[in-house]
Amino acid sequence: MNRRHWIRGAGSVLGAVMLSACDRLNANAQFMRMLRGAEALSMRAQRLIAPRGALAREFSPADISPDFRANGSIDPQDVEYLTLKAGGFSDWRLVIDGLVETPLSLTLDELRGWPARSQITRHDCVEGWSSIGKWTGARLAPLLEKAGLKPEAKFLVFHCADTLDPSLAQGRYYESIDLIDAFHPQTILAYAMNDQPLPVKHGAPLRLRVERQLGYKHAKYVMRIEAVADFAHIARGRGGFWEDRGYEWYAGI
Ligand SMILES: Nc1nc2c(c(=O)[nH]1)N[C@H]1C(S)=C(S)[C@@H](COP(=O)(O)O)O[C@H]1N2
Ligand SMILES: [Mo]
């Protein structure tokens, strides 16, 4: 069997597994373990088809959605965030720490001075909608090179300012990516959208764009980027707010 056939075969088996998934099975630990195995398989399969450095498709200005949807938190009410917003984010700092040689703390103005990239891309949300927007921001790779990742660092955790689930102590939004996505050329910390300062509903003052991943990986309201060896100790240990509630950690597109 050649590679392509093998991938197609594996894909249809996974599809059947997914179709039979239901909430009851979701609660079944053995089934969840199997899904995680399938997730690792789909991650490897996808990376055979599209190499890890491949760029997400970029669009032309004419393709930009006139009304880009906003989703999840759109107006955080966390006191710390409200205070920063009231001050025009002049007291906001992006912290990059954890397993780095030199922790960084950067103002928005300082970030604007770092090597930047603009890209017009399509945002795909698992809820079944897509919008095209233009994003401008600091490329993540040069910032990570400045901070100097320690050899043990394997993932970046994005800590956000918003509480999406107020019913729990662990209701703050957070996300994580691996170093392949972290150093991808289209991975940026966006401070502008469609040539305007990033609006609050889309994550002001700073949000992640990680274009080879589904919408929920694109952390908005980023406060801190922590380099870690693993994320088992953070919140419920699955690497993200939605991952802690059953979504797959790898959401590659
Ligand atoms: N901090 C934070 N980031 C977040 C979310 C959120 O609720 N809080 N929602 C996620 C989801 S599911 C999607 S689809 C996108 C939505 O981004 P948008 O509001 O700019 O469309 O942000 C993602 N990042
Ligand atoms: Mo989403």
Side-chain angles (χ1 to χ4, degrees), residues 68-74 123-127 129 135 160-162 164 173-174 193 201-203 207 209 215-221 242 247:
F68 196 110
R69 288 223 353 214
N71 200 35
S73 293
I74 54 170
H123 178 102
D124 297 318
C125 173
V126 274
E127 290 170 21
W129 56 270
W135 305 98
C160 305
D162 58 308
L164 188 55
Y173 204 90
Y174 77 104
M193 178 191 191
K201 65 178 176 176
H202 293 297
R207 66 100 50 86
R209 293 301 308 171
Y216 61 91
K217 304 297 283 191
H218 299 235
K220 306 195 281 188
Y221 318 108
W242 285 115
Y247 283 28

Side-chain angles (χ1 to χ4, degrees), residues 17 24-38 238:
V17 168
R24 205 155 43 87
L25 284 172
N26 215 13
N28 177 308
Q30 199 187 341
F31 182 73
M32 289 300 274
R33 272 198 302 279
M34 190 186 76
L35 277 187
R36 280 195 289 279
R238 296 268 177 244

Side-chain angles (χ1 to χ4, degrees), residues 127-171:
E127 290 170 21
W129 56 270
S130 300
S131 295
I132 293 175
K134 177 178 177 183
W135 305 98
T136 302
R139 292 189 47 225
L140 185 51
L143 289 160
L144 296 176
E145 276 150 21
K146 172 77 175 178
L149 292 179
K150 293 186 175 172
E152 314 88 82
K154 296 285 183 293
F155 304 95
L156 299 181
V157 177
F158 294 77
H159 298 277
C160 305
D162 58 308
T163 299
L164 188 55
D165 184 350
S167 69
L168 287 170
Q170 296 166 344

Side-chain angles (χ1 to χ4, degrees), residues 14-50:
L14 291 182
V17 168
M18 293 305 182
L19 280 179
S20 68
C22 69
D23 286 343
R24 205 155 43 87
L25 284 172
N26 215 13
N28 177 308
Q30 199 187 341
F31 182 73
M32 289 300 274
R33 272 198 302 279
M34 190 186 76
L35 277 187
R36 280 195 289 279
E39 178 188 346
L41 180 62
S42 74
M43 173 160 74
R44 287 195 298 271
Q46 190 196 29
R47 284 183 171 160
L48 284 175
I49 303 163

